[in-house]
Amino acid sequence: MPPMISVSALRKTYKSGLVALDGIDLEIEKQEIFALLGPNGAGKTSLISIICGTVGIGSGTVRVGGHDITQDYRAARAMIGLVPQEISLDIFATVWNTVAFSRGVFGRRPDPDYIERLLRDLSLWDKRDRRVIELSGGMKRRVMIAKALSHEPEILFLDEPTAGVDVSLRRDMWALVRSLRDKGVTIILTTHYIEEAEEMSDRVGVIANGRILLVEQTAALMRKFGRRKLTLALQHPLAYIPVDLSPWELELEQQGQVLAYAFDANAEDNGIPALLRRMAELGIDFRDLDTSRNSLEDIFVSLVEQTA
Amino acid sequence: MSAAKLNHHAIWTIYLAEMSRMRRTFWQSIATPVITTVLYFIVFGGAIGSRIQHVGGIGYGAFIVPGLIMLTLLTQSVSNASIGIYFPIFTKTIYEILAAPLSALEIVFAYVGAAATKSVVLALIILATATFFTPLHIQHVGWMIAFMLLTAVTFSLFGFIIGIWAQNFEQLAIIPSLVITPLTFLGGAFYSIDMLPQPWRTLNLLNPVVYLVSGFRWSFYGTGEVGVGLSLAFTGMFMAICLTLVWWIFKTGYRLKP
Ligand SMILES: Nc1ncnc2c1ncn2[C@@H]1O[C@H](COP(=O)(O)OP(=O)(O)O)[C@@H](O)[C@H]1O
Ligand SMILES: [Mg+2]
């Protein structure tokens, strides 16, 4: 089966002269949840905006469902639903009207039953006759999602879907994303949170400075980069790391007051229980412990080191 | 779906949404032109017109009706169409139109069609209001309607361009108030340009609105300062210029797509 989305040699230079995308090659398969992970300004929004048709294509080709987005834009766009990063709604329209409008603009016949199900799934049914201006920020975001899904797209783009979103919406959104995927929808989301990419996606594409640095199965990426760090604040500072603890490759920080252990969170045995037992045997006491995850920045650092 | 086949359903959806947006402010938007018209009739038709008597064999009150309607058609077409497209650009809801499977032509049909519809409705309301003040006999009803539609569509296209070009509300208001209204006043809406002394009379032949008003007045009374053919040719030419500009806007993405 051909890929659902295929981008090749895509370059985009804005009128300001800024090169936002610098040779992107990417393929996304049908029915996968793909996370585009990268820091602010990496080019995530530019990339998905070009695929969706809201930003002009620079050079290169983009195909959606096999349709070229320039030559065969109708067929390509008809497949896509887009939830942009920013909330932008006609605040005077009612929820029902704005969602029905989106469906109509995509050329689909009205289907009140479908819109009703959609609004119920997004907890918007009670608000259907309210004007958008009366809704809270979270509700507005739900309306944006309803609009994107109003024409039953085969591909859904979510640009930074959880930025500034409360827990309940986040939970609902992930449930919705999974149920859409089960119905055969392909989902592409952008994020700068590694946790989000890990939690949601099947595959991750890491993007920085307009280039895709790598594309990996999420599990494989986490094995490679998703290391965590255990830090132990010691009761009594150590001058050096005892030889008995050498298998753990620990590091001594803050003038010997803190022991740090980097471990693989996804491994069968992360080595922590054995480490703590051994420390107890050696009489090294700690008063506090903490674990932290490699940040996105750490990953970029190691990626850049690898590609250099 | 082939590119030649229009997405009627989408055009209709945008058209209806635009019409309902206009309905929200319907009373406001008819109040201004209707009150203005009544004032013109009281001042020009009643107070001044009683001294002027006849212009080219037509009672002054009747003479100014086509000019008044033209004034409304021009200003309303430009402002409706410019706000119609400026609003989604300003609120960024335009993303949805740009991401939809719509051709440029379909987008233009929907927005320009809605704006033109509204200004024609207002023009007809003015016409109806005028009949309360002066007896009207329209000689070429078909031509009158044709002129109305042609003017409404052409200047709605022009407004559509203004709405995309404007970067703030001031720029949006500047063309109707600083260009259209003065040109309409100078263009013989309330007098025959034959009444002007030279060199103003010749100079005014450069004013495009002269041709619109004159042709429109001909459809009412069978007389006009310039020929009907010239009127139509001018409007057609202006429409062609606007269409070219719109084509260029969509081709380059100017202010619509970065
Ligand atoms: N319309 C635009 N004009 C000029 N530069 C832009 C425009 N949109 C985005 N950029 C720039 O392009 C780069 C990539 O931006 P963006 O795609 O929004 O990144 P991300 O979504 O990953 O944060 C940034 O440097 C941004 O400032
Ligand atoms: Mg972004």
Side-chain angles (χ1 to χ4, degrees):
Chain A
M1 194 158 45
M4 201 57 170
I5 291 174
S6 116
V7 178
S8 68
L10 179 63
R11 275 180 64 87
K12 172 70 186 178
T13 309
Y14 283 111
K15 282 160 198 152
S16 62
L18 186 126
V19 179
L21 299 175
D22 190 8
I24 300 278
D25 294 290
L26 184 64
E27 292 194 340
I28 295 169
E29 302 301 325
K30 184 174 161 57
Q31 218 176 339
E32 74 173 330
I33 302 178
F34 188 91
L36 207 49
L37 175 68
N40 279 324
K44 305 182 293 295
T45 300
S46 300
L47 177 55
I48 70 173
S49 301
I50 288 171
I51 301 173
C52 294
T54 62
V55 165
I57 186 171
S59 62
T61 53
V62 178
R63 289 175 173 279
V64 175
H67 309 287
D68 184 278
I69 62 158
T70 312
Q71 272 140 41
D72 206 1
Y73 65 92
R74 279 190 204 272
R77 291 186 202 164
M79 298 175 77
I80 297 177
L82 166 65
V83 183
Q85 192 168 350
E86 282 171 45
I87 295 173
S88 25
L89 292 165
D90 176 357
I91 54 174
F92 300 113
T94 64
V95 170
W96 179 278
N97 286 348
T98 194
V99 175
F101 173 81
S102 300
R103 185 178 170 89
V105 166
F106 272 75
R108 304 286 308 247
R109 300 269 136 212
D111 185 346
D113 293 340
Y114 174 74
I115 304 275
E116 174 172 347
R117 252 179 292 136
L118 186 58
L119 294 185
R120 285 190 189 281
D121 285 349
L122 283 158
S123 311
L124 283 169
W125 182 243
D126 299 340
K127 307 268 193 291
R128 64 189 178 280
D129 295 324
R130 293 280 193 84
R131 294 195 306 163
V132 169
I133 197 171
E134 301 167 44
L135 303 182
S136 68
M139 282 293 163
K140 286 193 185 113
R141 209 167 264 280
R142 287 172 193 258
V143 175
M144 294 289 289
I145 299 170
K147 282 168 77 74
L149 293 173
S150 66
H151 63 281
E152 301 163 65
E154 289 173 59
I155 304 167
L156 178 66
F157 283 91
L158 297 161
D159 197 357
E160 308 261 350
T162 56
V165 156
D166 63 35
V167 179
S168 86
L169 175 50
R170 202 184 157 102
R171 197 183 48 224
D172 287 5
M173 192 144 54
W174 290 160
L176 182 75
V177 163
R178 292 206 170 91
S179 84
L180 285 169
R181 195 262 299 273
D182 293 344
K183 287 177 198 145
V185 177
T186 306
I187 291 136
I188 295 102
L189 58 99
T190 75
T191 180
H192 55 266
Y193 297 117
I194 187 164
E195 290 82 2
E196 198 158 284
E198 180 181 16
E199 190 185 338
M200 281 312 302
S201 64
D202 303 317
R203 274 199 316 155
V204 178
V206 180
I207 181 171
N209 298 320
R211 290 180 193 209
I212 301 272
L213 299 180
L214 94 168
V215 179
E216 276 278 16
Q217 296 291 327
T218 308
L221 182 82
M222 290 307 147
R223 268 198 303 279
K224 266 191 203 160
F225 300 104
R227 290 178 73 81
R228 296 175 71 117
K229 195 162 118 176
L230 171 71
T231 47
L232 297 160
L234 303 175
Q235 287 285 13
H236 308 289
L238 289 175
Y240 56 91
I241 297 170
V243 182
D244 282 342
L245 296 181
S246 60
W248 286 273
E249 296 175 6
L250 304 177
E251 281 181 34
L252 208 48
E253 296 173 356
Q254 297 179 25
Q255 290 93 40
Q257 296 186 49
V258 170
L259 260 184
Y261 168 48
F263 65 96
D264 182 351
N266 298 299
E268 191 91 330
D269 173 18
N270 58 27
I272 292 177
L275 171 65
L276 296 185
R277 266 199 309 276
R278 180 58 59 88
M279 283 173 62
E281 285 163 19
L282 297 172
I284 305 171
D285 292 335
F286 56 90
R287 50 189 167 78
D288 197 7
L289 89 178
D290 201 2
T291 65
S292 62
R293 175 185 290 277
N294 265 0
S295 67
L296 191 53
E297 283 67 33
D298 298 333
I299 293 186
F300 284 119
V301 169
S302 46
L303 271 176
V304 170
E305 278 168 0
Q306 278 178 16
T307 48
Chain B
M1 198 193 300
S2 77
K5 190 164 168 269
L6 286 181
N7 191 340
H8 295 283
H9 194 68
I11 298 175
W12 188 237
T13 302
I14 299 175
Y15 180 86
L16 287 183
E18 277 299 288
M19 294 310 285
S20 86
R21 189 179 59 75
M22 290 169 183
R23 256 203 314 277
R24 294 200 291 246
T25 56
F26 184 70
W27 293 109
Q28 271 152 272
S29 48
I30 65 165
T32 317
V34 168
I35 291 171
T36 314
T37 307
V38 171
L39 286 176
Y40 278 122
F41 275 115
I42 294 171
V43 175
F44 289 115
I48 300 174
S50 58
R51 315 260 162 98
I52 296 181
Q53 299 297 338
H54 292 275
V55 182
I58 306 155
Y60 187 68
F63 179 83
I64 65 171
V65 172
L68 272 176
I69 294 176
M70 220 8 115
L71 181 64
T72 302
L73 268 179
L74 298 180
T75 50
Q76 288 292 319
S77 296
V78 172
S79 63
N80 293 337
S82 59
I83 293 168
I85 190 69
Y86 179 79
F87 186 68
I89 293 174
F90 180 70
T91 59
K92 298 201 169 82
T93 52
I94 192 77
Y95 84 87
E96 188 172 25
I97 305 295
L98 296 175
L102 287 172
S103 68
L105 194 66
E106 290 160 346
I107 297 174
V108 172
F109 269 175
Y111 282 100
V112 168
T117 305
K118 187 189 172 196
S119 57
V120 166
V121 168
L122 283 174
L124 293 173
I125 292 172
I126 304 284
L127 186 63
T129 312
T131 60
F132 287 102
F133 293 89
T134 179
L136 276 180
H137 173 74
I138 303 166
Q139 278 194 13
H140 311 285
V141 176
W143 276 109
M144 185 209 68
I145 304 278
F147 264 110
M148 264 192 190
L149 292 178
L150 193 62
T151 309
V153 169
T154 304
F155 281 77
S156 295
L157 265 174
F158 182 54
F160 186 81
I161 296 165
I162 302 291
I164 292 174
W165 161 81
Q167 283 178 310
N168 52 52
F169 283 99
E170 286 74 32
Q171 289 185 344
L172 205 57
I174 220 162
I175 298 288
S177 63
L178 246 60
V179 179
I180 303 288
T181 307
L183 285 183
T184 312
F185 270 86
L186 292 172
F190 304 113
Y191 56 87
S192 166
I193 56 164
D194 292 336
M195 292 159 84
L196 282 179
Q198 287 291 14
W200 304 112
R201 199 170 127 197
T202 309
L203 219 56
N204 216 351
L205 291 177
L206 294 174
N207 175 358
V209 180
V210 165
Y211 303 92
L212 294 172
V213 173
S214 176
F216 195 48
R217 190 172 285 134
W218 169 84
S219 71
F220 276 73
Y221 308 121
T223 60
E225 295 97 329
V226 298
V228 187
L230 199 56
S231 265
L232 284 173
F234 169 78
T235 317
M237 196 178 71
F238 191 55
M239 189 181 217
I241 293 172
C242 291
L243 283 172
T244 310
L245 278 172
V246 168
W247 172 82
W248 176 83
I249 285 172
F250 279 97
K251 179 150 175 56
T252 60
Y254 171 80
R255 290 199 185 163
L256 285 177
K257 286 187 189 186

